Amino acid sequence: DSGVTQTPKHLITATGQRVTLRCSPRSGDLSVYWYQQSLDQGLQFLIQYYNGEERAKGNILERFSAQQFPDLHSELNLSSLELGDSALYFCASSVVPGQGGEQFFGPGTRLTVL
Amino acid sequence: GENVEQHLSTLSVQEGDSAVIKCTYSDSASNYFPWYKQELGKRPQLIIDIRSNVGEKKDQRIAVTLNKTAKHFSLHITETQPEDSAVYFCAAHPTSGTYKYIFGTGTRLKVLA
């Protein structure tokens, strides 16, 4: 157990719908990262937050948005869902970016868009 | 731009043999290089990492080497076992700028019994 929690574990929805994925980082970690992993693919970096502020953006679609709340949990919102959005979405946390150190990954949320 | 190339998508080795997976990075500001192991359907987990002030680091059967001049780093697994079969991701992390981790595309290691 990495100490990073993600809910829900599985999510099945239809095209055009909107979903919210939730992540709670490890206690003490200020930085949260979101990744998308499609079937047999690598980890596509979506977005990073540090202490409530957006720090870096990767290949995140305009239909996707995220935020980090004062209690440091983060939510990833996916809207106007398409079949191609089906993937495993990981959240990871680390203590302070820029110092190196392990990223701790959550168990992931498996999103299936039908 | 920032990029990490992981040259092998698949590597098959016989049980007991060694495996080497190499990554090349582009951002010279990168100075932290972790390796993650991901078993099927599970989360990536750190197995070893190295910082730019060190050329090699070992942990039992696993080692990582770093060549800063050539901008590449490699994962070495000796005496491979079936449980080593997984996907291995390398990453590079700069300690300036955006601080994001740039991951390679992953190498699926198959250890054949």
Side-chain angles (χ1 to χ4, degrees):
Chain A
D1 185 2
S2 65
V4 178
T5 60
Q6 287 187 250
T7 57
K9 193 170 183 179
H10 300 278
L11 198 50
I12 301 175
T13 188
T15 54
Q17 295 299 304
R18 173 190 169 93
V19 297
T20 297
L21 313 183
R22 182 188 170 103
C23 167
S24 291
R26 283 190 333 150
S27 176
D29 285 358
L30 300 178
S31 201
V32 168
Y33 308 77
W34 285 98
Y35 295 90
Q36 179 193 56
Q37 187 174 42
S38 301
L39 190 63
D40 287 337
Q41 297 295 309
L43 293 162
Q44 296 296 319
F45 169 70
L46 296 178
I47 199 164
Q48 175 199 356
Y49 281 85
Y50 172 65
N51 205 19
E53 293 187 7
E54 182 184 302
R55 204 65 186 270
K57 259 187 176 179
N59 299 322
I60 187 167
L61 300 171
E62 285 191 11
R63 300 183 285 109
F64 296 1
S65 65
Q67 58 184 130
Q68 186 179 28
F69 294 87
D71 67 353
L72 300 177
H73 91 271
S74 178
E75 292 181 356
L76 178 67
N77 300 297
L78 316 176
S79 61
S80 303
L81 286 168
E82 301 175 359
L83 296 177
D85 297 327
S86 295
L88 194 52
Y89 290 84
F90 286 107
C91 164
S93 73
S94 66
V95 178
V96 177
Q99 297 180 359
E102 183 174 358
Q103 272 194 327
F104 294 86
F105 282 81
T109 293
R110 183 169 295 282
L111 173 65
T112 302
V113 182
L114 301 176
Chain B
E2 307 151 329
N3 188 42
V4 173
E5 284 192 40
Q6 198 164 345
H7 306 283
L8 287 176
S9 59
T10 305
L11 175 62
S12 295
V13 299
Q14 289 295 131
E15 183 178 355
D17 287 351
S18 295
V20 181
I21 304 171
K22 178 179 172 180
C23 286
T24 305
Y25 63 98
S26 61
D27 187 353
S28 55
S30 299
N31 55 12
Y32 173 70
F33 306 91
W35 283 91
Y36 286 82
K37 175 183 180 182
Q38 186 180 29
E39 296 178 359
L40 190 62
K42 297 191 175 179
R43 63 186 173 92
Q45 289 188 273
L46 181 76
I47 54 171
I48 196 166
D49 55 12
I50 191 168
R51 296 182 184 270
S52 59
N53 58 346
V54 175
E56 183 176 0
K57 182 176 178 181
K58 285 184 181 178
D59 183 3
Q60 299 181 344
R61 296 188 297 109
I62 295 173
V64 55
T65 56
L66 171 65
N67 183 327
K68 285 173 56 180
T69 304
K71 292 186 186 174
H72 66 71
F73 57 111
S74 298
L75 175 70
H76 305 255
I77 305 175
T78 58
E79 300 173 14
T80 53
Q81 300 167 4
E83 52 264 37
D84 294 329
S85 295
V87 178
Y88 291 83
F89 291 97
C90 62
H93 177 60
T95 56
S96 62
T98 63
Y99 306 130
K100 61 184 177 183
Y101 292 72
I102 311 299
F103 279 86
T105 50
T107 297
R108 182 174 300 278
L109 175 64
K110 298 178 183 178
V111 179
L112 308 172

